[in-house]
Every structure is written in structure tokens, then in C-alpha cells.
Amino acid sequence: MMMNEILENVKEYYGKVLDGTKDLKTKACCCTGALPKQVREALSLIDDEIVTHYYGCGSPIPDLLDGMTVLDLGCGTGRDVYVAAKLVGEKGRVIGVDMTQEQLDIALRHEEEQYKYNGPVNSDQY
């Protein structure tokens, strides 16, 4: 299989085949540990559409992010971008990158609303 074909298959799966977390074909990428309190609190502010279209592997968000720059490769609908935005604070920056336009469309559709909860932050999603 050529690289372009692989990329198109991934875009098709995450952009068109999946309609929510329930549609994932595997549970191999699950995290069983409890999330840190500040991550749980930030997740409670995330719009349901973003959460139900989250296809990630647990939560790779560490403690002590205030003022840091976070790069989320494969950000999907932006769940972890918005959580990180809450945790980096006004002096931090969060950058989300994804190759699936349908996923980014969901993230960007909720951008203004999510920033109301997270406060002003330098955040971009591509």
C-alpha cells in the first residue's frame, strides 16, 4: 500500500466512517487510570459533540502546564487542546494539528464557546 493510500484511508476512517466514539473498532487504546483532578475539571467544560467524537488514547496531559506551550499532533476534535488551554493559562499556548478536516471542523465549530470556559489563551488548530 502506498503512503498516499494509507493517508486517504486514515482520513476516510476518522473523517467519514466514524460518527462517534462508539463506532471505534477497537478498545486497544484505552487508559484505565484516573485522570488528574484539574484534567477532570477541564473535561467537564468540553462540549458533548467534542467528547463523543474523541478517538484518542486516554489523556496524555501532564501536570504543571501553566505558561507552557503544548503541541497536540492528531488533535482530532480538539478535546485535549481545549483541556490544555485551560491548564496553560493566559501566558501559555496550545497548538492542535490534525489531517482530518471533518475532525477539525468540529473543533473549530466550538472554538468560541470553549474559550469562554477556558479564558483567553493563545490556541490554534490546523
Side-chain angles (χ1 to χ4, degrees):
M1 194 180 297
M2 301 301 292
M3 184 57 77
N4 286 343
E5 188 178 352
I6 293 170
L7 289 173
E8 291 307 313
N9 285 340
V10 170
K11 286 181 184 180
E12 176 78 15
Y13 180 68
Y14 285 99
K16 295 181 175 53
V17 172
L18 296 178
D19 190 39
T21 306
K22 64 182 175 10
D23 297 326
L24 287 168
K25 304 291 184 210
T26 180
K27 299 224 184 286
C29 194
C30 297
C31 185
T32 57
L35 297 172
K37 180 183 177 195
Q38 68 272 21
V39 172
R40 288 192 315 267
E41 289 171 355
L43 276 173
S44 72
L45 303 173
I46 304 297
D47 187 87
D48 286 343
E49 183 182 23
I50 294 169
V51 173
T52 59
H53 288 86
Y54 174 73
Y55 308 131
C57 296
S59 180
I61 300 171
D63 293 336
L64 305 174
L65 288 179
D66 189 40
M68 303 296 286
T69 297
V70 174
L71 173 61
D72 183 358
L73 298 174
C75 68
T77 60
R79 186 194 87 155
D80 290 339
V81 170
Y82 293 126
V83 169
K86 178 77 171 168
L87 301 177
V88 300
E90 291 184 29
K91 295 181 182 174
R93 180 182 173 99
V94 181
I95 303 163
V97 178
D98 201 279
M99 68 177 184
T100 309
Q101 189 59 52
E102 292 85 351
Q103 294 286 295
L104 289 171
D105 289 344
I106 292 171
L108 295 171
R109 183 166 45 246
H110 296 280
E111 187 174 37
E112 188 174 322
E113 171 191 352
Q114 292 304 139
Y115 291 152
K116 287 179 187 175
Y117 297 125
N118 297 326
V121 68
N122 295 316
S123 177
D124 300 296
Q125 297 191 52
Y126 305 99

